[in-house]
Amino acid sequence: MTRTGIYTRRHLPTKPRTALIPGDQRSCPSRGNSISPTSFPLLAPPSLSSKEVPYLSFYEPSTTAHPQPHKPTIKSPPTMGKHHDEDHRAGGGSAHSTRADLSSPILQAAIRSHNGDAVLLASPSESLIALPTPEQKDWSHPLSSYFISSSHNTYLTGHQLYGESTTDGYKNVLLRGCRCIEIDVWDGGDGEPEVFHGYTLTKEIKFEDVCKAIKKYAFTRDDSEDKEEMAKYEGAGEGPVIISLECHAKEDQQRKMVEIMERVWGEMLVKDVEPEEVGELPSPEELRKRIVVKAKYTPPEQDPAGMVTAAITQPPKRSSSGWSRRSSSDSSSDSELEELSRQAKKQKPKKAKMIRPLSRLGAYCSSHHFPSRDPGRPFVEHKTSLLANHVYSFSEKVFASHHEKWREDIFTHNKGYLMRVYPFGLRFSSSNGDPVEFWKRGVQLVALNWQKCDEGMMLNEGLFAGEGGYVLKPDGFRPGDAPPQYKQLDLTIEVIAAANIPLPDKNDKAKSFEPYVKVEIHVPGDIPNSKEKLKGKTKAKRGVECAWNEKLEFKGVQGVVEKITFVRFKVHDEEFGVDDLAAWACVRLDRMREGLRVVRLFDNEGGHSKGVLLVKVAKRVY
């Protein structure tokens, strides 16, 4: 087994904890004090326009041979994720599981005029989205062959600088089908590790409380006779949960973390596997109902490679334009904190080395420093990039930079090895970019801010609907596959009628609501399509129940890979100025049924609604 050196990074001190706000030259101690943006107005985070955040051209900001691996004993394959209207929101694959309400006279008349069967159309099994059945789901491939529903800064429920940290953040995303969650751990004042967003005003929570929440909500439960209680957990499914561990704690509290995880998670936790002995990644089926830790690689104590630690923990060099920008693989927290410290003109101090017992828990997801200074082809030739269990993590901005240099090599790497990409550190409002830009490059773990229902989360919902958080990559994206075939699409959608459309705001009145339907197609191919080929909309009507009977046609759409091509329906309220979003749905092209169908609508916050859209679909992929 060839081992790479140990890579450590600088970390921030935890006492006193301070909040660094771009544009403000002061630091504000927040531990032990109740500080909010309103009580300390000079530290309130500034608004951030898209012009203030640099992006590369292909990524636009959103507006809205080794021994066989250890294999756990498996009794049966995982089940699909299911969601219930009263308990879940969209974003992680929370497909509607109840019958649609088609009692509206407008809908009834429209269905009769198209010779439809209202009873049949109301069934979830006959909706526009053809959800997979347990028999259709293939869980047997290695982890790297799947797109995995992933969350960024999971503990936050709102803004990245002053949003609340809570265990509810973990409950929320796990029950919505998320299978990769993030925990940022720091030294706690009482010797107990804590979770929070470093150098911000976010409140800390106990690491042990987070672990307990994960244990409770990670998987479908079968230990209760209360059917209503059981139903709340169906959305989680049984696919393995990956813990993206961002550790800023020192050695003593790292040992406490190991003790807590082993005690709280018990048999759920994958452990006693040596990272150096992993020759291939296990499948989701082999890891059914297990918790897999993603942690930074530290070699065994006796390994002389550990001597390289000191050479890598030196402070970053200052350039004429500020701190030198790293193009290496950074952990999520490191990258964000570096951005925060740069904006506040503060130096980010050194980070403690991860102890071997903690690193060892990351046997199947071993985080490694990306060898960006390698003069050759680091993604496909460097020894680190050939380790079966390595994971590279990049911010969207760093990924874009790498992609300019190594476009084809990144795609080749991602056929067989894991990669995680997370939002740029200055997305303070918890916005997201377009995840298709990363899925089409084979990135498995596209971490999104689940705190906001925007285009990114809508597309995430489209990809993972009914999938239990794991989607097998399409042909061409897995090891040994020939290059993917990009096709063309002809799509006709007749927008017929709608009922029970949720209003944009609870104070809005139905009589002044003027809805129109906008349809957008999101394709993975780099071949440019005209705006007319990808977008279309109906005329505006009035009321929460209305009929359109308008056809929207999309001809010759290029760059199509059906599994990562999406059709997004949005219902807007026509107004002066910005047309508010009222409701939406997002469908994967390979799951889109033809004929007369019902589209179940989510409200503008991602909640399940009673809103339905009646459409007639014809498609041709060639």
Side-chain angles (χ1 to χ4, degrees), residues 98-348:
T98 57
R99 293 181 62 82
D101 179 2
L102 305 181
S103 61
S104 161
I106 289 178
L107 286 180
Q108 291 286 322
I111 291 170
R112 287 195 299 270
S113 69
H114 286 79
N115 299 315
D117 183 334
V119 175
L120 186 64
L121 286 171
S123 171
S125 63
E126 294 297 320
S127 72
L128 181 67
I129 306 176
L131 296 177
T133 64
E135 295 75 20
Q136 294 172 322
K137 186 80 176 180
D138 184 356
W139 297 84
S140 64
H141 295 260
L143 287 174
S144 56
S145 291
Y146 294 85
F147 296 123
I148 304 172
S149 185
S150 306
S151 164
H152 172 249
N153 285 354
T154 312
Y155 47 87
L156 294 179
T157 57
H159 200 280
Q160 299 289 308
L161 293 181
Y162 53 81
E164 183 180 2
S165 298
T166 171
T167 58
D168 283 346
Y170 293 92
K171 172 186 176 180
N172 176 28
V173 304
L174 288 169
L175 293 182
R176 290 160 64 187
C178 182
R179 297 292 86 184
C180 180
I181 57 179
E182 183 176 22
I183 311 180
D184 283 6
V185 191
W186 300 74
D187 285 327
D190 57 358
E192 295 291 325
E194 296 178 336
V195 177
F196 56 83
H197 198 186
Y199 273 34
T200 67
L201 298 174
T202 58
K203 190 179 186 299
E204 63 275 1
I205 49 179
K206 294 292 185 183
F207 176 70
E208 182 165 352
D209 290 341
V210 170
C211 291
K212 289 177 178 177
I214 293 169
K215 177 182 180 179
K216 182 175 181 178
Y217 300 109
F219 307 109
T220 300
R221 291 178 59 182
D222 54 7
D223 57 354
S224 174
E225 295 181 359
D226 187 335
K227 292 184 178 180
E228 290 187 5
E229 177 68 14
M230 290 290 296
K232 296 179 181 180
Y233 296 86
E234 289 184 356
E238 299 185 4
V241 170
I242 300 172
I243 307 296
S244 184
L245 197 60
E246 307 296 342
C247 182
H248 307 271
K250 293 184 174 64
E251 291 190 13
D252 57 338
Q253 295 205 19
Q254 287 185 38
R255 297 187 188 281
K256 184 68 175 179
M257 291 168 58
V258 174
E259 184 274 323
I260 290 171
M261 288 187 284
E262 292 182 342
R263 170 170 48 83
V264 173
W265 294 336
E267 292 302 313
M268 290 182 178
L269 179 64
V270 174
K271 58 182 179 178
D272 299 327
V273 181
E274 299 298 335
E276 296 80 14
E277 295 179 3
V278 176
E280 62 181 24
L281 290 178
S283 68
E285 184 175 359
E286 292 168 325
L287 294 172
R288 173 180 175 266
K289 282 195 168 185
R290 301 297 293 272
I291 295 175
V292 180
V293 174
K294 182 179 81 68
K296 185 180 297 298
Y297 177 69
T298 299
E301 295 294 337
Q302 70 275 14
D303 195 324
M307 298 299 291
V308 304
T309 302
I312 301 177
T313 55
Q314 299 303 314
K317 294 181 179 180
R318 184 78 182 231
S319 68
S320 58
S321 58
W323 297 111
S324 58
R325 189 177 303 276
R326 288 184 182 180
S327 59
S328 62
S329 175
D330 288 316
S331 71
S332 180
S333 295
D334 286 345
S335 181
E336 291 178 36
L337 293 170
E338 189 169 302
E339 291 292 348
L340 285 172
S341 60
R342 181 185 298 116
Q343 290 290 317
K345 297 183 179 180
K346 301 286 184 179
Q347 180 173 341
K348 184 167 74 73

Side-chain angles (χ1 to χ4, degrees), residues 466-528:
E467 294 277 9
Y470 284 81
V471 172
L472 185 64
K473 290 183 180 182
D475 292 342
F477 285 70
R478 304 193 298 273
D481 285 357
Q485 298 298 309
Y486 292 89
K487 302 179 180 180
Q488 294 190 57
L489 167 70
D490 291 341
L491 177 65
T492 300
I493 298 176
E494 182 180 356
V495 181
I496 302 170
N500 299 316
I501 304 173
L503 295 171
D505 186 271
K506 63 182 180 180
N507 296 320
D508 290 342
K509 299 184 182 300
K511 63 180 180 180
S512 60
F513 180 50
E514 298 185 13
Y516 65 87
V517 179
K518 186 175 184 179
V519 177
E520 298 179 353
I521 302 177
H522 299 258
V523 297
D526 290 324
I527 302 173

Side-chain angles (χ1 to χ4, degrees), residues 382-456:
H382 194 277
K383 59 184 180 181
T384 303
S385 299
L386 302 179
L387 298 174
N389 58 350
H390 81 274
V391 184
Y392 289 144
S393 294
F394 306 108
S395 73
E396 60 187 72
K397 189 174 179 183
V398 171
F399 179 89
S401 176
H402 288 337
H403 191 265
E404 287 188 342
K405 301 177 186 177
W406 300 296
R407 173 188 295 262
E408 294 183 3
D409 284 356
I410 286 177
F411 186 80
T412 300
H413 171 277
N414 292 344
K415 281 187 173 185
Y417 305 101
L418 289 170
M419 181 179 289
R420 180 175 181 265
V421 174
Y422 51 90
F424 179 52
L426 296 185
R427 285 188 180 272
F428 297 139
S429 65
S430 297
S431 65
N432 294 294
D434 182 357
V436 178
E437 293 293 336
F438 306 112
W439 293 329
K440 73 183 187 182
R441 291 167 173 88
V443 178
Q444 298 88 352
L445 302 164
V446 181
L448 300 177
N449 289 313
W450 289 50
Q451 300 89 347
K452 176 171 290 188
C453 182
D454 57 11
E455 178 181 306

Side-chain angles (χ1 to χ4, degrees), residues 106 495-504 508-518 537-550 570-575 579-584 601 612-613:
I106 289 178
V495 181
I496 302 170
N500 299 316
I501 304 173
L503 295 171
D508 290 342
K509 299 184 182 300
K511 63 180 180 180
S512 60
F513 180 50
E514 298 185 13
Y516 65 87
V517 179
K518 186 175 184 179
K537 68 177 184 178
T538 67
K539 296 178 181 178
K541 297 294 183 176
R542 186 178 291 274
V544 295
E545 299 183 7
C546 48
W548 287 277
N549 296 304
E550 293 184 42
K570 297 191 296 178
V571 182
H572 288 270
D573 183 12
E574 187 171 71
E575 303 176 282
D579 294 345
D580 289 340
L581 176 68
W584 62 275
L601 299 174
V612 293
L613 189 63

